Amino acid sequence: MKKTIDFTVNNEQKSVQIRSADTLLITLREQLGLTGAKPGCENGDCGACTVLVDDQPMKSCLMLTAETANRSITTIEGLHDTPIQKAFLEHWGFQCGYCTSGFIMNCHALANIHPDANAYEIENWLQSNICRCTGYEEIKEAIMSVLKTKEAGTSG
Amino acid sequence: MTGAAKYTADFTAPGLLHASLLTSPHAHAKIKSIDLSEAEKCPGVRAIVIGQDIPVLTGTTVEDRPILALNKVRYFGEPIAVVVADSEHEAQSACQQINVTYELYPVVNSVHQALESKPILVHEQLMNYTQVQKIQPEANSNIANQIKVRKGDIDVGRDQSEVTMTADFSFPPSDHAAMETRSVRAELLPNGEVHIHTSSQGPFMVKELISRYFLIDEDKVTVHTPLVGGGFGGKAAVQLELIAFAASRAAGGKIVKLSNTRETDITGSPGHIGLEANVKLGATKGGKLTFAEIHYNFNAGAYVDEGSDITEIAGLNCTGPYKIDHVWCNSLCVYTNHPYATSFRGYGHGELTFPIERAMDLLAEKLRIDPIAFRLKNTIKPGDTTPSQTKLTKSNIGNVAKCLERVKTLINWDEGQTVNLSDRLIRTKGISCFWKSSITPTDATSGAILTFNKDGSINLSCGVVEIGQGTKTVLAQILAERLKIHESKIHVMMDVDTQTNPQHWKTVASSSVYMVGNAVLRAAEDAIQQLCQTASIVLRCEPGDVDVAEARAFLISNPDKYVSVKDIANGYKYTNGNSIGGTVIGRGNFIMKHLTSIDKETGKGTPASDWTVGAQAVEVEFDTKSYNYKLIHAVSVLDAGKVLHPKSARGQVTGAMSMGLSWATREGFSFDKNGIVLDNQFRTYKMLRYGENPTYLVDFIETPQIDAPYGARGLGEHGIIGMPAALANSLSTAAGVPLNQLPLVPEYIWEQKRGEASDSN
């Protein structure tokens, strides 16, 4: 049984036919071709599928598309030359690149919502994502370079 | 970065069908019956395949593994059936309607249990399996392979020793946990062509095995690999490709997509090997090592896959980078009813290094010699021999002592191994040395092809898979350096296509730069020769009078006289229209040289071309009341031969250190008494997260490897190798008890402090 949902994705109005059980991740990838959001665990544990829902980071595997009616979604494909994208490139914040879009979406939201985030807040936010390739050092350099918080904080 | 990078599961196609796996809920059971009648009636179902439909045994060393379980299941998570349907959810629902009846068997739940006299057998037909490589299984046992190393005379070594130590060490199997789960698309065209798209580290191996097991001519099989979302060795194994092909064939050859769920990726597909070890070391009172007697019993799980080779290289390099004249080692590859193991970053070396480097600390303590001073007395050098009696040279091994001295400075060893911070907090340091060689087939080969665009830029084609290690960037750099042009003028094909790219053995073993880098340099020489030939006609001289650099072919005696490469690379045209030359195609190849097979009684032989060495340290802040700890510093110093790309080299090393610390601090499967893996998702299988990492200190020593491109040694895996040992040495010092098991969770430290015997599982 399919139903129609209207929402905004990367500032474009979209109308999709969905099953009630479809997650936002599935809809973005399979119906809208927005494959920047990656399935990593489909259980909310790894953050590779992170997108913004009304500017708040959300793991798209944990949200049903039905819940997003009339809301505004931003995916990695909706970001263009943002400071955090440049910072990830400049600081080598990625290797295989699979977790990168999720990290960038989360960092982008953090920089917008808490530009003065302290070390505890940064850690609290970024612990929702897993990177298996890097040692997190480069990701830390990237997020620190876009936040106003300039001291390195307490965590390594 | 922009979402544009495409991985295997990001592609779709019109009419794409979806496959889903039914996996075993038991670790060891007879399959009495499989009833598909309900599942076949489910909406959208196009085909269902079970083991009996494809009763072929597979394996790269020994053919012991069915594509889908046949007659019995041997581990929790083993694929039993694959359902193909119009959508993923329909395939998943139909899977749940398959009715399998089992008769439960007793479970081999540890290596220890597997080696009991009169054990439960994981494989009853062990001796009848086809051996692809020569291995040594033992009848009526769970021993799939055994490596014996006998160097010198162990009795003489014992007599010479004045102080000895002995201890047991262990860690359970664990997982690679690459962020991208394994994913495949398979298609069988009406003309018999097979197309496989897979997130693999070994596309050429996939091609070979699809051809072998399904009796299809190899020229009909094309394997495509786009970007791969992390591999760490786990994607060198060939498993889902075979299932996906069988699924496509059953569905009339239509294109079928099969992606692992995280749960299936962790237990159903192969993971990281486990180990139970016993080490005895002896030394003189002055601290000179005299003998090593070592038992490595590897937990390969239900099938051998790479387990036998891991067992072999761990045996052949069993002592770590130390000069020991008398060595006795038995390294066993043991079957259990655990998920099976394949190659994992470090390939046997992180595994052997944990027991050896713990043993070195235990012996240093008995000798009352500083752990670094003790190691420095015994480091292996050019002129010495490895346990497999390979003679080391100034080229094939780096400088262990220099690495160790540098680590000593970086970790500030001289301030003391323990520093008190308060009445309950202390900081402690631990160290580890390591070495690693790659084990490759003695005929492992690679190729490279260069072609030129009209603008003079160059296309480089090779068979290396980009898994995040940055090899393709380094290859472009090697070529740019040789041709003296800017890297931006070199285009490296990122995807691999086995029909167009030249053969590359596998993207594993930190060997791609060595193998393909050499092939690229030869291809460059070949192209230069052809360019000089054409240029010599234009410049009216001999080919030997011409050289190529900075996109020009010029007279060596007068570089102002030149012709642009872009004007000769696809033929040179005179003003009157006459043309000479033609398309330049640079060809290069590389094959491993002077490797020999290994003597089965003594382990004597040359398994590898080179040993990369290094030293590492970990500093923790330890709470003496709660046994919790924080990682403060982690140090790695590698003899890299030559660092080709500093930022990428550091990133590879810190990434591997992080993986090693994650493994040592928290990773490892927990099994219940029935062999069920309790932590098969990221909610329960914990990994290091942001902010839990230490501050990394990384440095390189450069002792060139003469036959490698610009002297560069492999370094992609090495950061992981000594991390567990260095951490365990640090925490053992902090806790004041020997900590000889991984993972080093506070509960384990607490148990050891309480003197409780802990289960070796």
Side-chain angles (χ1 to χ4, degrees):
Chain A
M1 204 56 59
K2 298 223 168 182
K3 61 177 177 179
T4 305
I5 291 286
D6 296 316
F7 58 174
T8 306
V9 180
N10 298 334
N11 292 320
E12 292 176 7
Q13 282 297 318
K14 296 280 180 188
S15 183
V16 290
Q17 291 275 318
I18 59 156
R19 292 167 59 241
S20 307
D22 282 347
T23 60
L24 178 57
L25 174 65
I26 297 280
T27 303
L28 290 172
R29 288 176 58 84
E30 295 188 0
Q31 292 211 42
L32 300 175
L34 298 171
T35 55
K38 304 295 185 201
C41 63
E42 298 186 74
N43 198 41
D45 300 327
C46 78
C49 65
T50 305
V51 299
L52 307 186
V53 177
D54 295 335
D55 299 324
Q56 293 286 333
M58 182 68 208
K59 290 164 178 170
S60 60
C61 72
L62 287 185
M63 189 172 226
L64 294 172
T65 310
E67 298 175 88
T68 64
N70 304 316
R71 298 176 77 173
S72 173
I73 316 294
T74 308
T75 70
I76 187 79
E77 291 88 347
L79 299 192
H80 300 285
D81 295 326
T82 60
I84 190 67
Q85 284 168 297
K86 289 180 196 156
F88 263 71
L89 265 180
E90 191 183 321
H91 294 278
W92 289 62
F94 62 96
Q95 287 183 24
C96 84
Y98 199 82
C99 74
T100 310
S101 36
F103 258 107
I104 287 181
M105 296 315 290
N106 199 5
C107 288
H108 182 72
L110 177 62
N112 284 339
I113 296 167
H114 294 294
D116 297 314
N118 61 31
Y120 173 78
E121 286 165 328
I122 298 168
E123 205 171 294
N124 204 14
W125 274 58
L126 297 196
Q127 287 207 338
S128 70
N129 295 57
I130 299 173
C131 170
R132 189 61 157 171
C133 294
T134 74
Y136 296 107
E137 181 182 58
E138 302 90 338
I139 293 174
K140 178 173 180 177
E141 287 169 9
I143 183 68
M144 295 310 291
S145 77
V146 300
L147 291 177
K148 291 186 181 139
T149 326
K150 283 303 172 197
E151 79 281 13
T154 53
S155 65
Chain B
M1 207 55 54
T2 61
K6 292 269 190 273
Y7 301 79
T8 301
D10 294 340
F11 294 89
T12 185
L16 178 77
L17 297 177
H18 296 261
S20 182
L21 294 176
L22 174 71
T23 61
S24 172
H26 304 297
H28 199 192
K30 179 179 177 180
I31 298 174
K32 291 175 69 179
S33 66
I34 302 180
D35 179 359
L36 301 177
S37 54
E38 289 303 313
E40 280 165 342
K41 284 187 238 159
C42 288
V45 171
R46 300 295 162 207
I48 304 178
V49 183
I50 59 170
Q52 274 163 353
D53 301 327
I54 33 170
V56 54
L57 294 179
T58 73
T60 47
T61 47
V62 56
E63 293 180 348
D64 63 353
R65 190 177 63 81
I67 296 170
L68 292 165
L70 258 180
N71 307 322
K72 75 173 193 171
V73 291
R74 295 186 174 88
Y75 68 97
F76 170 76
E78 179 163 9
I80 293 174
V82 59
V83 175
V84 183
D86 292 340
S87 66
E88 194 172 0
H89 69 89
E90 286 168 322
Q92 284 170 348
S93 322
C95 267
Q96 290 167 13
Q97 300 305 317
I98 298 175
N99 190 6
V100 186
T101 51
Y102 299 95
E103 178 187 331
L104 298 190
Y105 288 151
V107 172
V108 180
N109 209 6
S110 68
V111 170
H112 185 73
Q113 208 182 333
L115 295 175
E116 283 170 356
S117 59
K118 299 204 178 155
I120 302 149
L121 294 180
V122 179
H123 291 263
E124 297 80 3
Q125 297 300 319
L126 175 56
M127 304 310 284
N128 299 329
Y129 288 147
T130 303
Q131 292 185 14
V132 183
Q133 292 175 36
K134 191 80 192 123
I135 58 168
Q136 296 177 76
E138 198 170 300
N140 301 314
S141 84
N142 289 309
I143 298 172
N145 193 18
Q146 43 195 322
I147 303 298
K148 294 179 193 166
V149 175
R150 306 287 183 265
K151 174 185 161 186
D153 184 336
I154 193 73
D155 293 326
V156 172
R158 272 200 202 95
D159 288 346
Q160 289 172 350
S161 67
E162 293 167 303
V163 181
T164 61
M165 64 66 59
T166 177
D168 295 326
F169 307 89
S170 67
F171 51 84
S174 55
D175 196 45
H176 305 82
M179 295 311 297
E180 176 204 30
T181 61
R182 294 159 175 96
S183 182
V184 189
R185 280 192 318 287
E187 183 175 21
L188 171 58
L189 298 176
N191 65 3
E193 279 180 28
V194 177
H195 287 269
I196 307 283
H197 295 254
T198 173
S199 55
S200 170
Q201 291 173 256
F204 291 91
M205 190 58 72
V206 173
K207 172 175 156 161
E208 186 183 325
L209 296 183
I210 291 270
S211 162
R212 184 187 304 165
Y213 302 137
F214 294 102
L215 306 175
I216 299 166
D217 291 340
E218 224 178 291
D219 62 357
K220 293 272 189 200
V221 184
T222 305
V223 180
H224 310 259
T225 296
L227 295 179
V228 171
F232 316 115
K235 288 175 182 162
V238 179
Q239 181 202 29
L240 286 196
E241 294 89 349
L242 306 176
I243 301 175
F245 173 75
S248 167
R249 194 173 61 177
K254 290 200 177 127
I255 186 161
V256 171
K257 174 180 177 177
L258 174 59
S259 294
N260 267 347
T261 61
R262 178 55 63 186
E263 289 77 3
T264 305
D265 210 58
I266 290 180
T267 58
S269 288
H272 175 209
I273 209 161
L275 177 70
E276 292 178 16
N278 176 271
V279 178
K280 293 187 181 68
L281 295 178
T284 63
K285 280 182 189 157
K288 191 82 201 140
L289 284 167
T290 62
F291 80 92
E293 184 187 332
I294 299 167
H295 293 266
Y296 290 144
N297 298 331
F298 281 97
N299 182 351
Y303 300 103
V304 164
D305 199 84
E306 294 282 314
S308 60
D309 278 352
I310 294 166
T311 301
E312 178 169 346
I313 197 69
L316 300 178
N317 285 336
C318 62
T319 56
Y322 301 108
K323 178 186 188 295
I324 307 177
D325 292 337
H326 307 287
V327 178
W328 185 103
C329 173
N330 273 4
S331 186
L332 303 184
C333 178
V334 182
Y335 284 126
T336 63
N337 289 121
H338 288 168
Y340 72 106
T342 188
S343 46
F344 178 84
R345 196 179 208 165
Y347 207 85
H349 295 84
E351 295 73 11
L352 78 88
T353 300
F354 172 62
I356 284 297
E357 291 291 329
R358 276 295 299 135
M360 288 296 284
D361 255 36
L362 290 168
L363 187 53
E365 194 182 333
K366 270 186 134 176
L367 288 160
R368 296 174 189 277
I369 301 179
D370 171 82
I372 290 185
F374 177 50
R375 285 170 172 82
L376 283 172
K377 282 174 195 287
N378 292 287
T379 53
I380 203 158
K381 295 177 185 65
D384 297 337
T385 60
T386 69
S388 69
Q389 304 179 53
T390 307
K391 186 99 167 179
L392 295 170
T393 67
K394 280 181 184 159
S395 171
N396 70 11
I397 188 149
N399 192 326
V400 189
K402 225 166 151 182
C403 292
L404 201 45
E405 295 282 9
R406 185 77 187 115
V407 164
K408 189 177 173 184
T409 307
L410 288 173
I411 197 73
N412 195 14
W413 187 259
D414 288 338
E415 78 172 337
Q417 209 180 343
T418 304
V419 175
N420 292 312
L421 299 179
S422 69
D423 59 343
R424 62 185 281 181
L425 287 181
I426 55 174
R427 271 197 294 124
T428 56
K429 309 173 183 50
I431 52 148
S432 169
C433 293
F434 69 83
W435 68 357
K436 178 177 185 298
S437 65
S438 309
I439 186 169
T440 62
T442 55
D443 60 352
T445 182
S446 297
I449 299 170
L450 306 181
T451 54
F452 291 76
N453 299 311
K454 288 278 184 194
D455 62 358
S457 65
I458 302 172
N459 308 308
L460 166 57
S461 165
C462 63
V464 176
V465 178
E466 186 53 56
I467 46 177
Q469 83 284 40
T471 300
K472 292 197 166 173
T473 309
V474 173
L475 292 173
Q477 202 186 349
I478 287 173
L479 186 57
E481 174 80 23
R482 179 64 192 87
L483 295 172
K484 300 191 184 61
I485 56 170
H486 195 265
E487 267 177 72
S488 64
K489 297 289 175 203
I490 292 171
H491 311 290
V492 190
M493 291 172 63
M494 294 309 275
D495 294 2
V496 174
D497 174 328
T498 57
Q499 202 165 46
T500 51
N501 297 122
Q503 172 89 14
H504 175 52
W505 165 58
K506 281 193 274 188
T507 304
V508 295
S510 308
S511 58
S512 301
V513 168
Y514 175 59
M515 295 179 65
V516 186
N518 269 318
V520 165
L521 284 176
R522 283 177 200 175
E525 294 307 327
D526 189 41
I528 288 169
Q529 203 182 4
Q530 295 170 50
L531 292 168
C532 289
Q533 178 68 38
T534 307
S536 71
I537 300 167
V538 178
L539 298 172
R540 292 165 201 172
C541 60
E542 295 301 315
D545 300 336
V546 186
D547 199 2
V548 174
E550 292 165 352
R552 296 168 172 190
F554 56 89
L555 277 183
I556 297 167
S557 58
N558 180 10
D560 289 343
K561 268 184 87 74
Y562 70 89
V563 56
S564 293
V565 166
K566 71 178 167 55
D567 295 330
I568 52 173
N570 288 294
Y572 179 79
K573 189 161 116 183
Y574 287 95
T575 45
N576 72 352
N578 290 175
S579 298
I580 55 163
T583 295
V584 171
I585 301 170
R587 306 150 304 165
N589 59 37
F590 178 79
I591 191 160
M592 287 292 187
K593 289 192 187 63
H594 311 304
L595 302 186
T596 67
S597 44
I598 300 299
D599 182 85
K600 70 182 170 78
E601 294 305 322
T602 63
K604 191 172 176 181
T606 304
S609 55
D610 58 276
W611 283 256
T612 298
V613 300
Q616 298 184 301
V618 174
E619 183 173 38
V620 298
E621 188 178 298
F622 182 76
D623 184 329
T624 54
K625 292 217 163 55
S626 71
Y627 308 134
N628 275 308
Y629 59 91
K630 272 201 298 212
L631 303 170
I632 306 296
H633 289 109
V635 183
S636 286
V637 179
L638 267 74
D639 193 334
K642 170 78 185 164
V643 178
L644 294 177
H645 197 302
K647 188 80 186 171
S648 142
R650 183 187 165 89
Q652 282 294 300
V653 172
T654 56
M657 291 165 75
S658 172
M659 197 169 194
L661 289 168
S662 187
W663 166 27
T665 55
R666 65 204 72 189
E667 292 182 41
F669 291 149
S670 311
F671 297 96
D672 75 3
K673 65 180 175 19
N674 299 315
I676 307 302
V677 178
L678 299 173
D679 26 26
N680 67 342
Q681 52 172 229
F682 287 164
R683 190 70 51 93
T684 42
Y685 188 92
K686 304 278 189 185
M687 290 185 282
L688 203 75
R689 289 189 184 243
Y690 181 96
E692 296 177 322
N693 56 296
T695 299
Y696 303 102
L697 304 167
V698 176
D699 204 355
F700 298 100
I701 304 291
E702 295 188 329
T703 311
Q705 181 182 335
I706 292 161
D707 61 349
Y710 303 107
R713 299 172 190 276
L715 53 77
E717 303 164 86
H718 303 69
I720 197 172
I721 298 174
M723 279 293 115
L727 176 70
N729 286 339
S730 179
L731 285 171
S732 297
T733 304
V737 288
L739 302 172
N740 296 342
Q741 289 177 31
L742 302 177
L744 294 156
V745 293
E747 290 84 347
Y748 166 66
I749 303 173
W750 172 77
E751 277 172 7
Q752 296 309 107
K753 285 297 279 185
R754 301 238 314 185
E756 291 182 3
S758 67
D759 188 340
S760 62
N761 272 324

